Amino acid sequence: MRRTRTRALASTIAATALVLSACGGSDDGSGEDGGSDPQATSAGAKLASTWPLTGLPVKGDDSAVQDHPVLVLKMDNTSSSAPQVGLGSADLVVEELVEGGMTRLAAFFYSRVPGDAGPVRSMRASDIGIVSPVDAAMVTSGAAPITIKRINGAGIEFFGEGAKGFYRASGRSAPYNLFADMTATATLTRGGERPADYLSWGDAADLPKGKPASGLAASFGGGHTTTWSFRDGGYVNESGYAAEGDEFPADTVLVLRVEVGDAGYRDPAGNPVPETKLEGKGEAMLFHDGRVVRASWSKAGLDAPIELATKQGELTVPAGHTWIELVPREAGDVTVTR
């Protein structure tokens, strides 16, 4: 059974209260509202009208409550993955360290689910802290037994090779040829309520001024660096492998400096498997509109939301598509281009 997050449930209750209040006053015929909280119903209405992974408004006949949960596909992020498929449909992406100094992507899909997406690779224990805040289901090639035990213990639903929608693409070599038709895989699980917001969304006008930043390079250690340039109002991944026209449309790049430990086992090549600790607190850098705002992040637990703050108080992320870089605090580095 899928878990129910308290914050998501509260959002649903608030939205429901708004609908009920719109139908009339109290049931005693007095016309009084029975003590309803206008602030709570207003917050519920706002949540119901925005997407949880972007903060962008829901348009037309779309609903912020889909018939599937948030789906997170684990995607290879090496040159062997080129061209990556499906990133252009993602709401949000998290890049995390794996063994050998390489990275993998956790691509979040909710407002739109693509057809083909991949190459699909395996989960890591790091994913618990990444996907739990929105009670996401994972699309993955599998995982080591120790990881599966921890993923199951965290109550995370996942689908692997052999499940509906998975297939091996011709013309690619294993293990980089596993893909998923996400529209088919999405039918294996059900939604039912709007997920909690992944980040605290706000307006770009509310951002502190920050400092000019025309780009950045996020180094994950000796194996991989992701380079971004700010062009035409958005961020371009200069070191990415996405298919042309299928790139992730990053409005914001959020860098979190994180602790990285040992997951307790080695990959088939003998490399120790790292585990990103996405809880606690650390330094943050928010890149938006050609500027960078330095802040701090905190996360009370693996299933808790990411919270950002400056010395002046809470820092919200401008509504839009956000790419999150989980850069190792010790071995990693971030270089800002002015």
Side-chain angles (χ1 to χ4, degrees), residues 82-103:
Q84 295 163 330
V85 177
L87 283 179
S89 298
D91 288 325
L92 179 143
V93 174
V94 177
E95 184 172 7
E96 61 187 285
L97 181 70
V98 293
E99 56 275 13
M102 298 294 103
T103 65

Side-chain angles (χ1 to χ4, degrees), residues 22-99:
C23 295
S26 63
D27 58 5
D28 63 5
S30 65
E32 300 295 331
D33 64 6
S36 63
D37 184 349
Q39 186 174 9
T41 55
S42 176
K46 181 178 180 181
L47 282 172
S49 64
T50 59
W51 293 112
L53 302 182
T54 63
L56 293 172
V58 176
K59 297 180 179 180
D61 296 330
D62 289 340
S63 170
V65 181
Q66 302 287 62
D67 59 1
H68 56 79
V70 173
L71 300 172
V72 178
L73 182 140
K74 284 306 296 291
M75 186 178 292
D76 190 80
N77 195 42
T78 66
S79 58
S80 299
S81 68
Q84 295 163 330
V85 177
L87 283 179
S89 298
D91 288 325
L92 179 143
V93 174
V94 177
E95 184 172 7
E96 61 187 285
L97 181 70
V98 293
E99 56 275 13

Side-chain angles (χ1 to χ4, degrees), residues 257-261 275-278 281 297 327-330:
R257 302 303 299 270
V258 295
E259 294 287 350
V260 176
E275 180 180 349
T276 295
K277 309 290 187 179
L278 192 51
K281 58 184 178 180
W297 68 270
V327 177
R329 182 177 297 167
E330 300 298 329

Side-chain angles (χ1 to χ4, degrees), residues 244-258:
E244 185 175 356
D246 200 11
E247 298 90 349
F248 180 74
D251 299 300
T252 300
V253 178
L254 175 62
V255 176
L256 306 181
R257 302 303 299 270
V258 295

Side-chain angles (χ1 to χ4, degrees), residues 85-212:
V85 177
L87 283 179
S89 298
D91 288 325
L92 179 143
V93 174
V94 177
E95 184 172 7
E96 61 187 285
L97 181 70
V98 293
E99 56 275 13
M102 298 294 103
T103 65
R104 282 190 189 162
L105 308 180
F108 286 63
F109 300 96
Y110 188 69
S111 67
R112 288 197 298 163
V113 174
D116 299 330
V120 184
R121 298 301 303 275
S122 57
M123 301 178 292
R124 297 292 181 272
S126 304
D127 294 317
I128 296 173
I130 293 172
V131 310
S132 291
V134 288
D135 202 17
M138 297 199 68
V139 179
T140 171
S141 64
I146 187 173
T147 300
I148 289 178
K149 182 177 180 179
R150 292 182 62 184
I151 293 288
N152 284 332
I156 296 171
E157 184 179 25
F158 66 92
F159 304 99
E161 185 172 11
K164 186 177 181 180
F166 283 80
Y167 67 95
R168 293 280 176 177
S170 60
R172 295 191 185 226
S173 59
Y176 310 104
N177 60 348
L178 182 63
F179 285 75
D181 178 345
M182 294 286 285
T183 56
T185 305
T187 65
L188 298 176
T189 186
R190 302 294 296 174
E193 64 182 36
R194 181 191 185 280
D197 282 351
Y198 196 81
L199 295 166
S200 293
W201 304 112
D203 194 296
D206 297 328
L207 272 183
K209 186 176 180 180
K211 300 288 185 181

